[in-house]
Amino acid sequence: EQNKELVRRYYATVMSGGADLERLVAMDFVDHHFPAGLPAGPAGVREFFQQILPSIFSDMRIDIDFLLAEADRVDCHFSLHARPTGEFAGIPPKNNAIRWPAISTFRIAEGQLAEAWEIFDSGDLLSQMRK
């Protein structure tokens, strides 16, 4: 339950400005779905959630559907709700509401997020953005 709560706090924190990330995310944290070239740790998380995503989407909200935890791993099934307001993958913004379901798997070490992976249906996302 403690590891699940860490993941809940992570998403609440990144969606509300990223304050206190240093307590949640290890300095060498790597999220393997972030674009290449982002720094490790809290700096990379901030760049992704405060610069990259907002350059593509507005009105963002993350809803956690459920969490599964075993040993040092937590799977987070969630959806990002947003409006495309910037170009993405060559698709001009339509400002339509999208729902982007995904699953993130986090590895936890010493009470912090140490590593993450994410899977999502990219075809569905692109289809919603083209509508």
Side-chain angles (χ1 to χ4, degrees):
E1 290 305 312
Q2 184 176 352
N3 288 345
K4 289 180 183 179
E5 184 56 30
L6 178 62
V7 171
R8 281 186 198 98
R9 285 193 332 253
Y10 170 76
Y11 281 117
T13 298
V14 297
M15 295 310 291
S16 66
D20 210 26
L21 271 175
E22 287 73 13
R23 293 181 61 194
L24 305 174
V25 175
M27 293 307 292
D28 59 351
F29 172 82
V30 174
D31 191 318
H32 297 284
H33 95 281
F34 284 0
L38 289 184
V45 173
R46 280 191 182 94
E47 187 171 335
F48 184 75
F49 283 97
Q50 294 176 7
Q51 295 175 26
I52 294 172
L53 276 184
S55 73
I56 303 165
F57 300 107
S58 64
D59 301 328
M60 290 183 290
R61 179 183 93 240
I62 289 180
D63 291 338
I64 295 175
D65 299 317
F66 63 94
L67 300 160
L68 300 170
E70 184 173 328
D72 67 344
R73 308 289 167 126
V74 175
D75 281 351
C76 180
H77 295 242
F78 70 96
S79 296
L80 173 69
H81 299 265
R83 293 188 174 280
T85 52
E87 184 176 315
F88 179 74
I91 301 170
K94 306 271 194 211
N95 200 30
N96 58 315
I98 63 154
R99 180 182 172 271
W100 180 1
I103 302 169
S104 285
T105 298
F106 293 91
R107 182 175 63 82
I108 289 122
E110 299 178 17
Q112 291 185 305
L113 301 176
E115 199 169 9
W117 301 262
E118 187 169 287
I119 58 173
F120 62 91
D121 184 344
S122 59
D124 180 57
L125 172 65
L126 297 176
S127 175
Q128 290 182 64
M129 292 184 72
R130 286 186 183 108
K131 288 183 181 180

